[in-house]
């Protein structure tokens, strides 16, 4: 079916084998912040991590997916990932003819790729530190000869709306209906975005992906950049490019708002077969996603089989029903680059926090600081010549151990006198009165200075400690 012409798009707006990309962090605070600002910045990070977790656990968007999409392939592509000051890691992608380069938040917890679109794009609540909402980069479809609005009868419209998409004003027997795919509205924890679907060219230095499904968002709340969805849905970048694997190494958050970046590697070929040997990677298989009709978005997540959590040498006794997702989709662990701090449901968090408090009982608790920052437990370490903090270790199926460096799970707060655990929780329950969705969400803060591989071809997750900064 022919795509609707671009003039329809303009009328709509008046009415309502590897690629390497630079990757940099979008964060909320810098090391140079005054103490009060640092406290508030940590509070924003904690609140946004909890809001993100609440959305991932009880997603509101409906995306039943059974289709797949092929794209032209090459061997490898790279692009830089870099850190900014409002949470996450940024990757720049180029779309259109001629190319327009736009920064996106790298997100493995969602699937749609969308950019701020047209000069009319409006972002409400985007007055983040260091950001001028009027200067957000926008994609301009009228400047691209390859922009096409996706029609309602186009199979790609089903990526977001499923096979029962309603094409209002379309005769079901007509193949050349020019009605556009319905507008979308997506939630991202504290923020949201709305727009329509386009077909565009995705351009890399040595590779072009034609007919790429991209969201053209014209209105957002608290979304200061587009989202590059790397989840498991058919509209995600890995699915549309038929990636064999993708990998990254997230630089420390102390490089926020600098030019320091590392590469996001996109492998479209069959190379890197000796990767586990050459990089010393530990692998654990991805777990089958729970198929819950009420929450089809669970199918987009990368579930892991987390078997044990250790604080120091002490194993935290977490009930199995929380470590493994049940048929209702509740429980289990996912990995999500769009979450800042790792989230643990209250029953898990309390056991972990209690063990830290027990093993660090020789340091006084800073309860007031915990209220201010939303983090905890927090400890006062002033006057101590040396500080002993137990290790935090995640053990996955197959024996893969993630033994976190101290900087990945504790942070100095305001001064050298206080430290807080950078894991968050909440007291949210589902509308039915019980828990909902994954119990543990492994966030980007805990993945700093790790080489991480999403091996899609072999359905496994790999990681290894590595200094990611230059």
């Amino acid at each position: 079916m022919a795509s609707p012409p671009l003039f329809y798009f303009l009328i709509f707006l008046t009415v309502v084998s590897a690629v390497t990309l630079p990757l940099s962090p979008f964060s909320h605070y810098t090391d140079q912040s005054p103490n009060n600002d640092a406290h508030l910045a940590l509070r924003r990070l904690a609140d946004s991590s909890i809001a993100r977790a609440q959305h991932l656990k009880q997603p509101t968007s409906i995306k039943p997916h059974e289709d797949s999409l092929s794209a032209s392939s090459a061997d490898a592509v790279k692009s830089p990932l870099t850190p900014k000051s409002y949470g996450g890691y940024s990757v720049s992608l180029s779309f259109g003819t001629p190319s327009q380069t736009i920064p996106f938040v790298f997100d493995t917890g969602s699937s749609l790729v969308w950019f701020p679109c047209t000069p009319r794009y409006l972002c409400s609540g985007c007055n983040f530190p260091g950001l001028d909402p009027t200067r957000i980069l926008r994609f301009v479809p009228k400047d691209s000869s390859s922009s096409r609005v996706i029609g309602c009868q186009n199979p790609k419209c089903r990526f977001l709306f499923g096979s029962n998409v309603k094409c209002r004003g379309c005769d079901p027997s007509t193949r050349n209906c020019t009605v556009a795919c319905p507008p979308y509205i997506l939630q991202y924890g504290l923020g949201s975005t709305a727009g329509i679907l386009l077909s565009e060219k995705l351009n890399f230095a040595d590779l072009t992906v034609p007919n790429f499904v991209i969201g053209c968002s014209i209105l957002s709340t608290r979304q200061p950049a587009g989202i590059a969805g790397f989840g498991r849905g058919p509209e995600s970048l890995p699915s549309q490019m038929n990636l064999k694997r993708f990998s990254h190494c997230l630089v420390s958050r102390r490089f926020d708002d600098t030019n320091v970046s590392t590469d996001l590697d996109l492998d479209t070929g069959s190379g890197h077969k000796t990767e586990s040997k050459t990089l010393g990677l530990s692998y654990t298989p991805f777990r089958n996603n729970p198929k819950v009709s009420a929450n089809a978005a669970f199918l987009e997540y990368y579930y892991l089989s987390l078997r044990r959590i250790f604080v120091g040498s002490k194993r935290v006794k977490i009930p199995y029903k929380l470590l493994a997702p049940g048929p209702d989709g509740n429980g289990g662990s996912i990995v999500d680059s769009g979450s800042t701090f790792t989230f643990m449901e209250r029953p898990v968090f309390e056991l972990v926090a209690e063990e830290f408090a027990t093993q660090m009982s020789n340091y006084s608790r800073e309860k007031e600081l915990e209220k201010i920052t939303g983090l905890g437990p927090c400890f006062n370490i002033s006057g101590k010549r040396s500080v002993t903090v137990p290790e935090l270790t995640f053990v996955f199926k197959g024996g893969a151990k993630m033994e976190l460096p101290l900087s990945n799970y504790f942070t100095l707060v305001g001064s050298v006198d206080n430290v807080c655990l950078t894991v968050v929780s909440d007291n949210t329950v589902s509308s039915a009165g019980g828990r909902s969705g994954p119990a543990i969400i492994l966030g980007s803060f805990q993945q700093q200075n790790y080489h991480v591989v999403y091996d899609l071809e072999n359905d496994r997750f790999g990681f290894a400690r590595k200094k990611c900064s230059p």
Side-chain angles (χ1 to χ4, degrees):
M1 160 187 142
S3 298
L6 187 57
F7 74 80
Y8 182 95
F9 168 73
L10 296 176
I11 292 173
F12 173 85
L13 285 184
T14 63
V15 179
V16 249
S17 150
V19 181
T20 300
L21 307 168
L23 187 65
S24 50
F26 280 112
S27 69
H28 287 270
Y29 68 99
T30 63
D31 292 342
Q32 291 76 31
S33 300
N35 286 357
N36 289 340
D37 289 347
H39 292 170
L40 292 175
L42 284 169
R43 182 77 204 198
R44 285 195 297 269
L45 280 173
D47 289 345
S48 65
S49 298
I50 291 172
R52 168 74 171 187
Q54 291 170 348
H55 167 67
L56 292 176
K57 290 162 65 60
Q58 300 185 58
T60 56
S61 54
I62 300 175
K63 302 180 184 179
H65 303 313
E66 295 295 338
D67 303 317
S68 62
L69 178 65
S70 298
S72 59
S73 61
D75 289 334
V77 190
K78 293 178 181 287
S79 188
L81 283 166
T82 51
K84 303 295 179 183
S85 63
Y86 41 91
Y89 286 77
S90 169
V91 59
S92 292
L93 299 172
S94 298
F95 287 90
T97 308
S99 287
Q100 301 175 45
T101 301
I102 306 289
F104 295 80
V105 176
F106 169 64
D107 184 13
T108 62
S110 67
S111 293
L112 181 66
V113 182
W114 66 265
F115 42 40
C117 194
T118 83
R120 296 170 181 252
Y121 176 77
L122 175 65
C123 187
S124 174
C126 283
N127 294 309
F128 292 95
L131 175 71
D132 181 354
T134 65
R135 302 186 68 180
I136 294 173
L137 288 177
R138 297 155 168 84
F139 184 87
V140 182
K142 71 177 183 178
D143 292 342
S144 170
S145 62
S146 49
S147 280
R148 298 288 185 273
V149 176
I150 290 180
C152 191
Q153 291 183 335
N154 190 319
K156 297 173 185 177
C157 181
R158 301 174 189 169
F159 287 175
L160 256 61
F161 300 103
S163 58
N164 295 320
V165 59
K166 303 298 183 183
C167 299
R168 298 182 182 275
C170 252
D171 184 343
S173 63
T174 302
R175 286 193 167 188
N176 295 319
C177 178
T178 57
V179 173
C181 188
Y184 61 81
I185 299 176
L186 298 175
Q187 299 290 333
Y188 294 95
L190 289 175
S192 61
T193 191
I196 61 172
L197 295 180
L198 296 182
S199 174
E200 253 300 0
K201 282 185 180 179
L202 171 57
N203 305 302
F204 299 102
D206 301 311
L207 171 67
T208 297
V209 184
N211 304 316
F212 190 95
V213 176
I214 180 84
C216 167
S217 286
I218 57 175
L219 176 66
S220 297
T221 57
R222 297 185 61 81
Q223 293 297 315
I227 302 287
F230 272 68
R232 293 186 136 182
E235 74 271 31
S236 74
L237 188 145
S239 294
Q240 294 199 60
M241 291 185 65
N242 286 327
L243 294 184
K244 302 296 183 183
R245 60 187 57 79
F246 63 92
S247 61
H248 59 70
C249 195
L250 301 182
V251 299
S252 169
R253 300 308 292 260
R254 66 189 180 91
F255 292 112
D256 289 354
D257 292 332
T258 70
N259 293 324
V260 174
S261 67
T262 53
D263 288 333
L264 172 63
D265 291 283
L266 312 179
D267 181 10
T268 59
S270 57
H272 306 305
K273 291 183 177 179
T274 61
E275 187 172 35
S276 61
K277 293 183 180 179
T278 57
L279 296 177
L281 289 165
S282 298
Y283 282 101
T284 183
F286 286 123
R287 192 182 188 106
N288 290 334
N289 294 34
K291 295 183 178 180
V292 182
S293 58
N295 284 307
F298 291 168
L299 296 175
E300 298 184 43
Y301 303 158
Y302 292 98
Y303 276 84
L304 304 176
S305 293
L306 178 61
R307 291 293 177 80
R308 295 181 293 278
I309 297 177
F310 285 87
V311 175
S313 60
K314 183 69 177 294
R315 178 180 175 179
V316 181
K317 295 183 178 179
I318 301 170
Y320 181 76
K321 67 179 181 179
L322 295 172
L323 292 177
D328 57 0
N330 299 334
S333 306
I334 67 171
V335 56
D336 174 37
S337 67
S339 296
T340 304
F341 298 139
T342 287
F343 172 89
M344 295 180 179
E345 249 186 20
R346 180 59 58 177
V348 180
F349 176 81
E350 288 180 346
L351 292 171
V352 172
E354 181 181 353
E355 191 56 42
F356 272 108
T358 298
Q359 295 188 34
M360 298 180 68
S361 59
N362 53 324
Y363 306 105
S364 59
R365 287 281 293 272
E366 290 287 346
K367 297 290 184 69
E368 191 61 31
L369 187 60
E370 293 172 9
K371 293 179 182 178
I372 295 172
T373 63
L375 300 176
C378 297
F379 302 95
N380 187 304
I381 58 173
S382 61
K384 304 292 184 180
R385 291 188 176 183
S386 62
V387 178
T388 301
V389 178
E391 274 193 329
L392 178 60
T393 303
F394 298 129
V395 182
F396 299 93
K397 182 178 180 179
K401 288 185 180 180
M402 183 175 279
E403 299 171 317
L404 296 175
L406 180 61
S407 59
N408 281 27
Y409 62 99
F410 263 90
T411 186
L412 290 168
V413 180
S415 69
V416 296
D417 293 337
N418 302 302
V419 294
C420 293
L421 179 68
T422 53
V423 176
V424 296
S425 186
D426 69 351
N427 293 305
T428 301
V429 295
S430 72
S431 57
R435 293 289 164 177
S436 175
I440 300 170
I441 301 170
L442 181 62
S444 63
F445 197 90
Q446 279 63 45
Q447 298 175 54
Q448 297 172 98
N449 290 310
Y450 270 88
H451 180 74
V452 170
V453 177
Y454 291 74
D455 186 347
L456 308 179
E457 185 177 39
N458 297 299
D459 206 30
R460 60 182 183 169
F461 179 74
F463 56 88
R465 285 274 295 273
K466 180 182 179 181
K467 183 180 179 182
C468 298
S469 58

